[in-house]
Amino acid sequence: MMNILIVGAGLFGSVVAHELAQNGHHVTIVEKRDHIAGNIYTKEIAGIQVHQYGAHIFHTSNQEIWKYVQQFAEFNRYTNMPIANYRGELYNLPFNMNTFNRLWGVVTPDEAKAKIDEQRAHLRNKKPANLEEQAISLVGTDIYERLIKGYTQKQWGRPCTQLPAFIIRRLPVRFTYDNNYFDDLYQGIPIGGYTKMIENMLDHSNITVELNTDFFAQKAELEAAADHIIFSGMIDQYFNYRYGPLAYRSLRFEHDLVDCENVQGNAVVNYTDSSVPYTRIIEHKHFEFGTQRQSVLTKEYPLEWTPGQEAYYPVNDQENTVRFKQYFDLTKEQTHVTFGGRLGLYRYCDMDQIIHQALHCARKFK
Ligand code: FAD
């Protein structure tokens, strides 16, 4: 049996830890934050589970993963049906017949398709030069102007005409009256919060968790004590930024507890006009059908990222893709370290993909 050090008590590190402990290995997790669960951390405020690092909805079509998470939490029946607020007008997302009816008064799918075709006809045979042209060629001008343009500009901090077309490869358009955001077979929110779910994963006599412990502050000692390291921190930091830092987009969250039972009537409302500085407001209690007297709201502000800030979305442009590849090539020499998770592999992954990745990683230590 091995002594394994895991860097990061996020979803990736916690699933790997659970699996290794089950197989008899001794696992120490070091986590630099003062809590477990990484970015899926939820904190109870006024009886409401507040998603501290952005709203997280579990969804998957993988039955094995869905069964796997049920061991650690019971999931509720939450279905994500976000609403877009454009200058006070409300539209359903993802773009579907309810959205088209509200926009144009159309009733049938054929009428909606004709309207979209009419609005993108001028770009029919043109290779999109930027994100604006790409979006219009997919959904036409009205949807682009009201529901995509301002939101995307805020997200990326620059006009859509200056963003590459590849950021939007496809846009979900549905010609049915179906407001369910995800196409997946299964979705829901863990009852009692994600932190409780991770606590249950880590509740094993072979697992020790050390919070407030930055791996890099004690690298030599920690490495010496471990037979193998599983690293879910930032890959560029591991290699001391040899090729320069990998770029991210960041976010700032503003949480407010208010004396109102129900402020916006929905968990997720996107603000798609560029004059509103935040991209969305989350009302957390609606994730769990809460009936508390108060409510907690979170405004989400996109931010330019600088090293040292919380890193959220990798910028997978050409420059950073090449840089990541350089770092990834270095990992091949580090036979005592396995890199994983969203920061270790510099990749946006949904939670089900992270669990899949973690189970695959743990299998190597059977
Ligand atoms: P993390 O959760 O980031 O965990 C890594 C951990 O390592 C952190 O706790 C960090 O503090 C720690 N660490 C880093 N460096 C060190 C170090 N040097 N020493 C010690 N510890 C260290 N997915 C979905 O499926 N559904 C959603 O609705 C959804 N919404 C999202 C919303 C936002 C805003 C974002 C950004 C992501 C969302 N995701 C969603 C993706 C989800 O957050 C990730 O799949 C998941 O959190 C990745 O887990 P991880 O363990 O790889 O990373």
Side-chain angles (χ1 to χ4, degrees):
M1 291 301 117
M2 296 168 79
N3 285 321
I4 298 186
L5 175 74
I6 298 184
V7 180
L11 181 61
F12 179 82
S14 301
V15 170
V16 178
H18 178 84
E19 291 303 301
L20 296 181
Q22 289 285 82
N23 288 333
H25 298 294
H26 291 279
V27 180
T28 301
I29 310 186
V30 289
E31 168 54 58
K32 69 178 178 186
R33 294 178 183 169
D34 63 1
H35 60 76
I36 57 167
N39 278 4
I40 66 171
Y41 175 63
T42 46
K43 181 176 170 182
E44 190 172 314
I45 300 174
I48 300 160
Q49 293 298 326
V50 176
H51 301 214
Q52 292 284 315
Y53 300 90
H56 280 78
I57 299 120
F58 195 91
H59 58 98
T60 188
S61 288
N62 185 325
Q63 195 185 41
E64 192 195 332
I65 304 281
W66 183 238
K67 278 193 185 150
Y68 184 81
V69 289
Q70 313 292 317
Q71 298 175 69
F72 309 106
E74 190 184 343
F75 280 67
N76 70 16
R77 62 164 183 84
Y78 179 78
T79 303
N80 196 27
M81 292 186 281
I83 284 174
N85 181 323
Y86 175 75
R87 301 186 179 178
E89 292 168 13
L90 300 185
Y91 296 93
N92 290 107
L93 298 173
F95 315 130
N96 71 73
M97 285 305 298
N98 290 305
T99 328
F100 308 142
N101 174 264
R102 175 87 173 85
L103 267 173
W104 305 311
V106 295
V107 172
T108 68
D110 281 348
E111 287 168 352
K113 283 177 192 167
K115 198 80 190 164
I116 290 175
D117 281 345
E118 176 192 311
Q119 296 196 356
R120 61 182 181 180
H122 62 293
L123 291 172
R124 189 169 299 142
N125 295 318
K126 191 172 182 282
K127 186 171 184 275
N130 53 47
L131 190 145
E132 175 168 299
E133 288 188 4
Q134 171 76 342
I136 294 172
S137 73
L138 290 168
V139 291
T141 43
D142 283 347
I143 297 176
Y144 169 70
E145 290 289 342
R146 292 184 202 200
L147 303 177
I148 298 174
K149 186 178 177 181
Y151 190 87
T152 310
Q153 284 186 190
K154 287 188 276 188
Q155 259 193 327
W156 291 96
R158 51 194 68 96
C160 293
T161 46
Q162 289 174 27
L163 288 166
F166 80 83
I167 294 183
I168 298 185
R169 287 213 177 82
R170 47 174 223 103
L171 283 166
V173 179
R174 221 177 257 162
F175 294 97
T176 53
Y177 287 90
D178 177 6
N179 293 328
N180 181 353
Y181 196 77
F182 299 115
D183 287 324
D184 284 319
L185 269 175
Y186 313 104
Q187 74 178 294
I189 302 277
I191 297 169
Y194 286 97
T195 306
K196 182 78 199 140
M197 178 179 98
I198 297 289
E199 254 169 42
N200 291 341
M201 270 180 203
L202 298 177
D203 182 16
H204 195 290
S205 56
N206 283 5
I207 302 178
T208 308
V209 181
E210 293 176 12
L211 297 177
N212 302 304
T213 307
D214 190 328
F215 170 70
F216 295 106
Q218 305 174 34
K219 187 165 181 277
E221 296 151 55
L222 290 169
E223 278 186 331
D227 297 318
H228 193 87
I229 296 171
I230 294 180
F231 183 83
S232 72
M234 296 165 98
I235 186 168
D236 51 353
Q237 189 178 12
Y238 185 89
F239 293 107
N240 211 9
Y241 304 105
R242 193 181 302 183
Y243 303 116
L246 291 162
Y248 286 88
R249 285 289 294 166
S250 194
L251 292 170
R252 181 170 67 82
F253 298 104
E254 208 174 86
H255 307 288
D256 275 317
L257 172 65
V258 293
D259 280 323
C260 175
E261 202 197 312
N262 184 2
V263 179
Q264 61 182 22
N266 204 42
V268 183
V269 178
N270 289 5
Y271 284 78
T272 58
D273 186 26
S274 57
S275 65
V276 179
Y278 41 85
T279 44
R280 47 185 197 166
I281 300 184
I282 305 300
E283 187 167 15
H284 298 267
K285 70 191 307 178
H286 298 307
F287 284 129
E288 47 195 31
F289 313 101
T291 54
Q292 297 86 347
R293 190 178 56 76
Q294 293 173 299
S295 193
V296 179
L297 297 159
T298 300
K299 288 192 180 112
E300 207 169 296
Y301 296 83
L303 267 190
E304 207 60 63
W305 177 83
T306 49
Q309 259 174 328
E310 234 18 280
Y312 285 97
Y313 297 107
V315 179
N316 296 109
D317 59 8
Q318 213 194 344
E319 184 186 341
N320 286 286
T321 304
V322 168
R323 189 167 290 158
F324 168 69
K325 172 90 176 50
Q326 288 177 302
Y327 283 119
F328 191 70
D329 285 344
L330 295 178
T331 66
K332 291 169 192 155
E333 294 155 24
Q334 307 288 313
T335 49
H336 66 297
V337 187
T338 303
F339 293 79
R342 66 181 195 99
L343 299 168
L345 295 180
Y346 189 60
R347 191 183 302 155
Y348 177 86
C349 294
D350 277 328
M351 292 180 274
D352 61 332
Q353 296 168 310
I354 288 286
I355 294 173
H356 188 267
Q357 208 190 92
L359 292 175
H360 179 76
C361 170
R363 268 182 217 122
K364 290 193 274 183
F365 298 89
K366 276 219 160 154

